[in-house]
Amino acid sequence: MRVQNLILSLTLVAGSMATEADLLTRARGVFKPIPLDQAELMKLIDNPKNPITPEKVDLGKKLYFDTRLSKSNLISCNTCHNLSLGGVDGVGAAIGHKWMANPHHLNSPTVYNSVFNFKQFWDGRAADLEEQAMGPIVAEPEMAATEMMVAHRIKASPEYVEEFAKVFGDEEISLTTIGKAIGAFERTLVTRAPFDEYLEGNQSALNEQETRGLKLFMDKGCITCHSGVGVGGTMFQKFPLMGKYKYENVGDFKGNENGLTKVPILRNITQTAPYLHNGAVWTLEEAVEIMAENQLGIKLSAEEVADIVAFMGSLEGEKPKIELPILPNWGPKTIRPNVN
Ligand code: HEC
Ligand code: HEC
């Protein structure tokens, strides 16, 4: 009797070890870790058309935090993509110049790991981070500046002029070079998480519930759309794929020209509420339920939802250390702020 029990429990342990190893192998076929090795990481994040250099990243960081890129001198990239708050603003629809809400009621996605998106924006209309960064500066509901205004403000500051010359040589100070510097900075905003250690082979990096959640995330079919380094950000898909999105009346976003939405990355998703393109969903549990219903046509039990949410906790990464930049002084002839 005892021996039989022992054999039984040994078989069970061996069996569950086999399934766990199997899960890891399957996960490795779907996701890729953010490499610890700097050379490997550079292969993933660098842009040959705008190579990352320490000086460029430093300049980009200044510009990212510089409110003087906005018409009012009050709004920076960090206003809506707050690096202390998961790279988001925590409101449903983004709020910009003159307290204007995004006209389509769009929610600010996080800038952390956005380098792993194959395209930028909910509808993927920007090819990369450099192109993306030029948009909000001159967008009326965001920073509301003009190309001429920002170039003038930078050129009026001798310190900035010197830094731009160091980084870009003869290339003119313009929205393009500003976009390049900010883009290079954003490329460094990657966050390694316990899930990366798991993918590298350390199965204890995920606890039991997180492991169950990972298994559900794979078995239920979330990985048809959310895969790769970012656990998303690799394709366009229809949303809702089936049924009706219960908050479809919030805003009027309809996806790209084909009615498709970029599948968002899920890294740090525990820190970026509210959820979905219109920021109408405040809990991760509800977002997961909506995904199950509208994208997979299934209903998950409360336990299954809790397990998947636990798995998402393992995607919460360590943020790069960012020293608050001290920005160049005002130039004597700079364009004054206009809050109207
Ligand atoms: C007023 C708030 C606001 C400001 C200011 C702002 N953004 Fe955004 N950002 C948004 C919103 C809203 C979106 C989504 C809009 C869309 O998809 O059409 C977005 C999208 C993005 C994305 C795409 C991420 C993804 O997952 O697709 C990046 C990257 C980004 N912003 C970076 C920046 C940078 C860099 C700046 C400063 C130059 C900036 N943002 C200024 C609100 C803002
Ligand atoms: C058919 C493709 C598809 C499948 C399957 C799918 N998703 Fe999504 N997911 C999307 C798209 C597209 C969005 C963005 C929808 C929007 O806001 O317009 C999204 C958004 C999300 C969000 C919110 C992200 C944010 O930044 O607000 C979460 C969380 C999420 N999915 C989790 C899951 C989970 C968990 C599953 C499995 C139960 C799943 N998804 C299955 C395509 C999919």
Side-chain angles (χ1 to χ4, degrees):
M1 180 67 176
R2 281 228 174 122
V3 175
Q4 258 177 0
N5 268 349
L6 186 65
I7 291 173
L8 180 64
S9 60
L10 280 177
T11 328
L12 280 177
V13 169
S16 88
M17 273 166 65
T19 8
E20 277 173 24
D22 179 50
L23 182 67
L24 175 59
T25 309
R26 281 169 57 214
R28 280 175 167 165
V30 175
F31 309 103
K32 292 279 166 285
I34 296 179
L36 192 55
D37 181 79
Q38 280 302 304
E40 288 301 311
L41 179 63
M42 281 300 273
K43 283 189 209 157
L44 277 184
I45 62 174
D46 207 7
N47 177 359
K49 287 183 288 180
N50 181 40
I52 296 176
T53 64
E55 295 75 24
K56 198 187 283 175
V57 169
D58 200 54
L59 175 59
K61 179 170 83 171
K62 287 186 177 146
L63 296 166
Y64 187 92
F65 282 97
D66 201 333
T67 50
R68 294 167 300 185
L69 291 184
S70 69
K71 184 178 177 185
S72 65
N73 276 8
L74 291 171
I75 302 171
S76 72
C77 308
N78 198 58
T79 305
C80 300
H81 305 283
N82 190 328
L83 296 177
S84 310
L85 280 174
V88 297
D89 46 17
V91 293
I95 304 280
H97 189 68
K98 291 201 326 194
W99 213 250
M100 239 183 288
N102 180 283
H104 308 289
H105 208 283
L106 285 173
N107 179 251
S108 312
T110 180
V111 286
Y112 282 117
N113 306 298
S114 64
V115 61
F116 301 127
N117 278 315
F118 81 125
K119 298 264 162 46
Q120 304 296 326
F121 286 123
W122 287 102
D123 62 2
R125 67 186 179 281
D128 55 26
L129 289 168
E130 287 77 6
E131 182 187 337
Q132 193 289 325
M134 298 192 285
I137 298 172
V138 296
E140 184 63 27
E142 296 184 334
M143 296 161 83
T146 63
E147 204 167 343
M148 188 286 251
M149 187 188 289
V150 285
H152 187 285
R153 285 224 181 110
I154 301 277
K155 286 177 187 166
S157 154
E159 284 174 74
Y160 259 141
V161 170
E162 199 179 311
E163 276 200 52
F164 267 81
K166 261 193 217 138
V167 174
F168 293 108
D170 292 342
E171 217 177 322
E172 212 197 324
I173 295 173
S174 66
L175 204 53
T176 309
T177 39
I178 292 171
K180 281 183 175 176
I182 295 178
F185 168 61
E186 287 176 296
R187 287 176 186 279
T188 66
L189 300 177
V190 303
T191 69
R192 255 176 73 88
F195 188 50
D196 295 299
E197 288 172 37
Y198 174 87
L199 290 173
E200 285 160 356
N202 175 10
Q203 278 164 274
S204 57
L206 262 59
N207 67 26
E208 266 179 48
Q209 190 184 18
E210 290 162 352
T211 309
R212 280 203 306 274
L214 166 63
K215 187 164 188 303
L216 286 164
F217 193 82
M218 299 184 62
D219 292 347
K220 297 287 180 186
C222 310
I223 53 169
T224 350
C225 303
H226 297 277
S227 59
V229 187
V231 190
T234 65
M235 66 178 85
F236 288 115
Q237 282 284 348
K238 197 165 154 28
F239 174 79
L241 199 54
M242 48 198 108
K244 205 172 135 199
Y245 171 41
K246 64 201 259 204
Y247 302 110
E248 68 168 19
N249 57 339
V250 181
D252 62 357
F253 177 73
K254 296 276 182 296
N256 66 10
E257 68 279 11
N258 300 315
L260 302 177
T261 306
K262 185 188 69 194
V263 177
I265 55 174
L266 297 183
R267 283 183 181 268
N268 299 304
I269 191 76
T270 43
Q271 301 178 319
T272 62
Y275 301 109
L276 298 175
H277 66 265
N278 56 5
V281 179
W282 281 90
T283 69
L284 200 43
E285 284 77 9
E286 189 179 9
V288 171
E289 282 162 10
I290 289 174
M291 278 290 127
E293 272 177 50
N294 289 139
Q295 301 305 78
L296 294 163
I298 56 173
K299 194 152 169 48
L300 298 171
S301 71
E303 279 95 347
E304 287 174 326
V305 171
D307 288 353
I308 291 176
V309 169
F311 160 61
M312 287 177 176
S314 78
L315 301 173
E316 203 175 295
E318 193 182 326
K319 310 296 178 292
K321 285 222 162 31
I322 294 167
E323 198 182 314
L324 197 66
I326 300 304
L327 302 175
N329 288 344
W330 280 99
K333 287 189 294 189
T334 203
I335 298 182
R336 303 264 160 86
N338 178 351
V339 297
N340 294 305

